Amino acid sequence: MAIEIKRPPLDFETNVALGLDLPMNSANGSGFEMNFLSIDQAVANVKNLMLTNHGERPMHPKFGLNLRGILFDNATDELEATIRDEVDDNFSFWLPYIFINELVVDRPDDYPNKLIIQITISLVGNEIDTRSVQIALNTDDGSATGATVDSNTY
């Protein structure tokens, strides 16, 4: 018989940081901004997963969404389905504590060399507090820009 051990969340400990925020720069000059809320750390983990390609993380060659590899595929209706499958598979394996509320994949008509992925997330068991992360990928130089975050706290 399995015993379930429950621990209180660390969000209520004001002096315990849960991790580092991305990008790693700080207004106070220390270089590291800390996350003290679970949802904020989940956003940093989402950014990390989405901007990492396969083979970039030592000892975890399958970590990441490999979006730059998908970016150079033909722009068809199947591309959106491929990205959705990649997001679902990787989130269920690497970030199972995150619930995907909405996933929007857009390739602007006026700039076909750009791919915009917007994902709205919440924590499993707390669907009230949501955050939206947007990643813009450019095929011109293969760069990923603008990991912007919108906070939707109700």
Side-chain angles (χ1 to χ4, degrees), residues 38-56:
S38 297
I39 189 69
D40 293 337
Q41 186 57 41
V43 167
N45 293 343
V46 167
K47 286 191 237 179
N48 191 14
L49 183 69
M50 291 181 76
L51 295 174
T52 304
N53 291 315
H54 292 171
E56 286 184 348

Side-chain angles (χ1 to χ4, degrees), residues 1-131:
M1 180 170 167
I3 298 173
E4 185 176 342
I5 299 173
K6 293 190 178 202
R7 295 188 299 178
L10 292 175
D11 288 4
F12 302 115
E13 299 285 334
T14 57
N15 60 347
V16 177
L18 299 175
L20 299 174
D21 197 13
L22 293 176
M24 288 189 189
N25 57 8
S26 177
N28 64 9
S30 69
F32 299 105
E33 196 69 39
M34 305 298 261
N35 288 324
F36 292 92
L37 296 175
S38 297
I39 189 69
D40 293 337
Q41 186 57 41
V43 167
N45 293 343
V46 167
K47 286 191 237 179
N48 191 14
L49 183 69
M50 291 181 76
L51 295 174
T52 304
N53 291 315
H54 292 171
E56 286 184 348
R57 183 146 179 208
M59 307 305 285
H60 292 289
K62 293 293 185 183
F63 181 82
L65 288 182
N66 205 32
L67 290 176
R68 288 187 191 107
I70 296 172
L71 182 62
F72 292 99
D73 289 349
N74 290 329
T76 63
D77 294 336
E78 296 159 359
L79 179 67
E80 183 177 342
T82 302
I83 291 173
R84 286 182 185 279
D85 291 342
E86 190 75 17
V87 167
D88 288 338
D89 292 345
N90 280 283
F91 270 67
S92 63
F93 184 78
W94 296 106
L95 304 173
Y97 58 92
I98 293 178
F99 179 73
I100 300 173
N101 295 354
E102 183 180 17
L103 175 64
V104 177
V105 179
D106 185 32
R107 188 178 289 266
D109 294 331
D110 58 338
Y111 193 62
N113 295 338
K114 190 174 196 175
L115 183 66
I116 299 171
I117 301 169
Q118 182 169 349
I119 185 167
T120 304
I121 64 163
S122 61
L123 297 175
V124 172
N126 181 9
E127 285 80 22
I128 296 173
D129 192 12
T130 63
R131 299 285 192 278

